[in-house]
Amino acid sequence: QAPQGYLLSEEPLKFEIREGHDWEEPFAVEFENEPAKGRICITKTDALSGEGIAGTEFEIRAKEEIRTPDGTLRAKKGETVGTMISDENGTACSKELFLGQYQVLEIKQAPGYVKSEEKYDVDLNYKDQTTPVVTVDLKIENEPTTVTAEKKDKDTQAPLAGVEFALWQDGAEEEKETLLTDENGKAVFQHLSSGTYFLQETKGLDGYLPDGEIREFVVDEEGKIDGKGNVVFLIENAKTKITDTTALWKNSKIKTTEAGENTVVEDTVSLENLIPGQEYRLVGRLVDPETGEPLEESLAQIQEKTFQAQANAQEVVMEFEVDTRKMEGKKIVVYETLYLGETEISAHEDPEDEGQTVEVKDSAPVAAKTGDSGDGVRVPTLLMASFASLSAGAASVLCIRGKGKRRRKGRR
């Protein structure tokens, strides 16, 4: 039986007693026992992929005074007793250590990863007299240094997929890494080593004002950006859109006209978040707000206007010639759609919007004047005189044909 903390020797101890030994002193036989020891083994892996990480350096420190059972001091508290570097499989094992309490610290992370600040406590405890080395395994993960470009609609905060971003390190612009935002609006760049970087949107979406800003950041020696291992740049894009419309009758500059005339609707369309120099196409059509159907082509034609944006915000005027003879008592609403190439990027179609609505009133009856009949039919003066010349008591009948009507007068 070996003392606690020591190993049982399997080798017999040979000793010799010589003839003539003086037995006045006891015959002493010294039998040395080896103390049991321990080893710390680490498996270092990528927190996302689970793959081993090579090149991570660790330090082992005594958490307490390390003494063997005979009281011999083997290491002071806080003393570094060993170092390790993970191999291509992400594994690292220490040399044999005296039993006791230790701490493992990461002192240098592999390039592209965030240095762990955690201290891992390890107890190397005696197992039995036949176990020469006690092994404790640690599994430690590292987070990759990550920068995320997150793209959202400025107004709705909806994620925008398909926006291209480029990332490059200072002095290595020709080695740009490009990614498209996913369905969550995110482009994720990982495993960034220390250095200065630049992030830029390089291709936006049709119908959105592009963001041309170049964002600069620095990854420090611990794989952190401003103290963080994972940084998100939230970048919002403003959507190109029709913000307002005003429809008026062109000649009168008001919203009502009388039926019976060919006249023109003038529609002023306000747009914002245009790309200066970009060519757009605006399509307008007149609609019956009661049915939601476009007016017949015989009454009004669909209009298109191609224009080049002069500024981020501008107005475009469209004109529609309308035959109002068949529109008596009706309202007309203007619908507008904005295109970039063949892609629809904005539409303004609200049948209840008074701003984009005009009206054709009923025709007013013609007022009776001198020489008119009471229903507005003009009676020639010559005939009026003839009435006066008829003698009393004479019977006469006179028929006068007016506009679409017949009037019969008589006297006995």
Side-chain angles (χ1 to χ4, degrees), residues 42-175:
I42 296 173
T43 301
K44 190 68 167 177
T45 58
D46 185 299
L48 301 181
S49 68
E51 296 180 355
I53 302 173
T56 307
E57 297 183 25
F58 298 94
E59 188 174 84
I60 305 170
R61 297 176 186 173
K63 188 179 178 182
E64 61 179 1
E65 285 189 344
I66 305 297
R67 295 179 180 272
T68 45
D70 64 355
T72 302
L73 179 65
R74 303 295 182 173
K76 296 179 181 179
K77 181 178 181 180
E79 182 181 338
T80 298
V81 297
T83 58
M84 298 178 286
I85 300 177
S86 61
D87 61 18
E88 66 275 7
N89 298 314
T91 59
C93 288
S94 70
K95 65 181 183 179
E96 292 183 2
L97 304 170
F98 291 103
L99 301 182
Q101 295 183 343
Y102 294 90
Q103 281 188 333
V104 176
L105 298 83
E106 184 173 313
I107 58 174
K108 186 176 181 181
Q109 81 284 3
Y113 289 90
V114 182
K115 179 176 174 290
S116 174
E117 299 297 333
E118 189 171 350
K119 297 178 180 179
Y120 301 91
D121 291 337
V122 178
D123 289 344
L124 296 178
N125 295 319
Y126 179 72
K127 184 177 181 181
D128 55 47
Q129 63 182 6
T130 61
T131 303
V133 179
V134 177
T135 300
V136 174
D137 294 317
L138 288 178
K139 292 184 178 180
I140 304 175
E141 294 180 334
N142 267 90
E143 296 285 343
T145 301
T146 303
V147 165
T148 300
E150 185 173 3
K151 201 68 169 174
K152 289 186 177 183
D153 184 295
K154 185 177 181 179
D155 295 326
T156 67
Q157 294 298 295
L160 300 178
V163 180
E164 183 184 87
F165 282 91
L167 180 76
W168 67 95
Q169 198 165 5
D170 189 20
E173 188 172 353
E174 67 283 355
E175 299 177 7

Side-chain angles (χ1 to χ4, degrees), residues 220-235:
D220 65 22
E221 293 299 323
E222 294 187 346
K224 297 178 182 179
I225 305 162
D226 295 330
K228 299 178 181 178
N230 191 332
V231 173
V232 177
F233 289 97
L234 177 59
I235 304 168

Side-chain angles (χ1 to χ4, degrees), residues 162-196:
V163 180
E164 183 184 87
F165 282 91
L167 180 76
W168 67 95
Q169 198 165 5
D170 189 20
E173 188 172 353
E174 67 283 355
E175 299 177 7
K176 286 182 179 179
E177 179 183 1
T178 58
L179 291 176
L180 297 178
T181 55
D182 60 18
E183 66 275 9
N184 298 313
K186 296 180 180 180
V188 183
F189 298 89
Q190 295 178 330
H191 302 102
L192 305 182
S193 56
S194 59
T196 300

Side-chain angles (χ1 to χ4, degrees), residues 224-253:
K224 297 178 182 179
I225 305 162
D226 295 330
K228 299 178 181 178
N230 191 332
V231 173
V232 177
F233 289 97
L234 177 59
I235 304 168
E236 298 176 334
N237 280 70
K239 185 173 177 59
T240 302
K241 60 185 176 180
I242 300 169
T243 58
D244 193 23
T245 62
T246 302
L248 301 170
W249 294 105
K250 181 177 180 180
N251 292 337
S252 62
K253 301 300 182 184

Side-chain angles (χ1 to χ4, degrees), residues 31-49:
F31 199 109
E32 293 185 358
N33 284 92
E34 291 290 332
K37 292 185 177 181
R39 178 186 290 114
I40 301 171
C41 288
I42 296 173
T43 301
K44 190 68 167 177
T45 58
D46 185 299
L48 301 181
S49 68

Side-chain angles (χ1 to χ4, degrees), residues 17 28 46 92-93 189 267-268 279 284 308 347 356 366 371 382 401-402:
I17 301 176
D46 185 299
C93 288
F189 298 89
D267 184 34
T268 303
E279 188 173 85
Q308 189 175 70
Q356 58 184 149
V366 180
L382 179 60
R401 186 178 300 275

